[in-house]
Amino acid sequence: ARTVRRSPDHLVGADLVPGAGIGAMRGALWLLIAALALSEVGVQAKHPFPNPLEDPAGCGREGVSSSHVCDPELLLSSEGADRVDLMARALSSGGGPVVLVAMMSKISAETDVVAHAFDKWSCRAQARKATLALGGKWGADVMILYSKEDRAFCVEARSSKVRVSDDEQQVILVGVQDALNLGVTDMAVSFALMSMRDGAVTNGVVAMPTRAELMQVAFAGMIPFIGFGMTDNGIMILAGDAIEDFIGQKIALSTMASAAWGNLISDMAGGVLGGGG
């Protein structure tokens, strides 16, 4: 049998050219360094959070001149963000501490902490570091950070204007567990703000809200319930009359029973229209 030897062309660049192997190693080394540099840039760019006081649009807060909430991924609903912003603004008014809130889906793409659905919400070392870093960058006296995938919720005070002790942080964490597990994030942040407000007002750090601010909060909570009440009662009356006219006479249904069925239908419609369905 005749054996045909083929030229090892794949070795020409490495073995037959003097110094080519060293050059290839140097090239690979430079590629590795470049890859590491790019990965580091990616980690740093994981937090493109502008200061909400200066760039509210970059924080997902369109239509306002400044905000105390940075939520570029829109983890809060529009109404929830407005409610949190109003409370943080009220806490910061009257010479009080500047309170800012950061909402994010994940702190870092290369975190070594794996959070599970059954883990408690807490403020681990990495989350606390990110909270202090953002607070220092923005000049916040109090910084609240929420990270969905890390199951992190941190409240850090960076100024002598207000103090949040370790015990107070634990009380806040215990109080927000249920709201965070149910996905009612704005309620969790509101609870943290109210907890700080109560402590700050007691210590004389923050002035009591003005009458105008109280009226703003009252109207913000009143208007949706007026619409709900009109819709709920209107549907109940119309549905009760229809049931009595078309069904009640055939099956001898009393007026009160027809009204009860109309109320059931209106409650179901109210739950759907209110987002409960």
Side-chain angles (χ1 to χ4, degrees):
R2 184 178 179 182
T3 303
V4 178
R5 293 181 178 271
R6 296 182 179 179
S7 174
D9 296 334
H10 64 285
L11 296 178
V12 170
D15 294 345
L16 301 183
V17 179
I22 298 176
M25 291 177 63
R26 288 177 177 174
L29 181 60
W30 280 111
L31 287 174
L32 178 61
I33 294 174
L36 291 175
L38 288 175
S39 66
E40 181 65 21
V41 171
V43 172
Q44 296 297 329
K46 185 65 179 178
H47 307 290
F49 283 77
N51 189 332
L53 296 174
E54 301 173 356
D55 185 11
C59 286
R61 302 286 294 142
E62 299 287 347
V64 295
S65 58
S66 66
S67 176
H68 288 247
V69 180
C70 191
D71 183 19
E73 299 172 275
L74 303 181
L75 299 177
L76 293 172
S77 64
S78 178
E79 295 80 6
D82 290 341
R83 181 162 48 249
V84 170
D85 194 4
L86 181 62
M87 294 183 67
R89 191 183 301 273
L91 190 61
S92 303
S93 64
V98 178
V99 182
L100 300 178
V101 180
M103 310 291 297
M104 61 184 66
S105 60
K106 194 170 182 62
I107 296 174
S108 172
E110 298 185 358
T111 177
D112 56 353
V113 177
V114 180
H116 302 282
F118 52 81
D119 288 344
K120 287 185 177 181
W121 292 81
S122 60
C123 184
R124 300 180 181 88
Q126 184 188 37
R128 185 174 186 273
K129 182 178 179 181
T131 306
L132 293 173
L134 277 179
K137 179 181 178 181
W138 295 347
D141 296 319
V142 179
M143 190 73 208
I144 298 178
L145 182 140
Y146 164 84
S147 178
K148 182 177 181 180
E149 296 183 22
D150 298 299
R151 296 181 70 82
F153 191 89
C154 296
V155 179
E156 294 291 339
R158 303 184 57 263
S159 170
S160 58
K161 290 184 178 181
V162 62
R163 293 179 177 85
V164 182
S165 65
D166 293 339
D167 292 339
E168 290 171 334
Q169 292 183 16
Q170 288 302 315
V171 170
I172 292 174
L173 278 174
V174 171
V176 301
Q177 292 294 321
D178 290 340
L180 292 175
N181 288 329
L182 292 173
V184 194
T185 313
D186 59 319
M187 293 300 180
V189 179
S190 298
F191 175 82
L193 291 171
M194 286 189 294
S195 299
M196 288 188 295
R197 175 189 174 278
D198 293 341
V201 171
T202 302
N203 295 330
V205 178
V206 180
M208 290 294 292
T210 63
R211 182 179 296 273
E213 292 170 343
L214 292 175
M215 291 298 295
Q216 289 179 352
V217 175
F219 277 111
M222 178 179 66
I223 293 175
F225 282 98
I226 292 176
F228 171 78
M230 295 176 64
T231 304
D232 182 72
N233 287 280
I235 293 176
M236 180 184 66
I237 294 171
L238 295 175
D241 286 343
I243 291 173
E244 184 179 17
D245 293 340
F246 296 100
I247 301 177
Q249 295 178 359
K250 296 180 180 180
I251 62 175
L253 199 63
S254 67
T255 302
M256 290 301 296
S258 300
W261 281 102
N263 185 53
L264 175 63
I265 294 174
S266 69
D267 288 343
M268 294 171 60
V272 173
L273 295 175

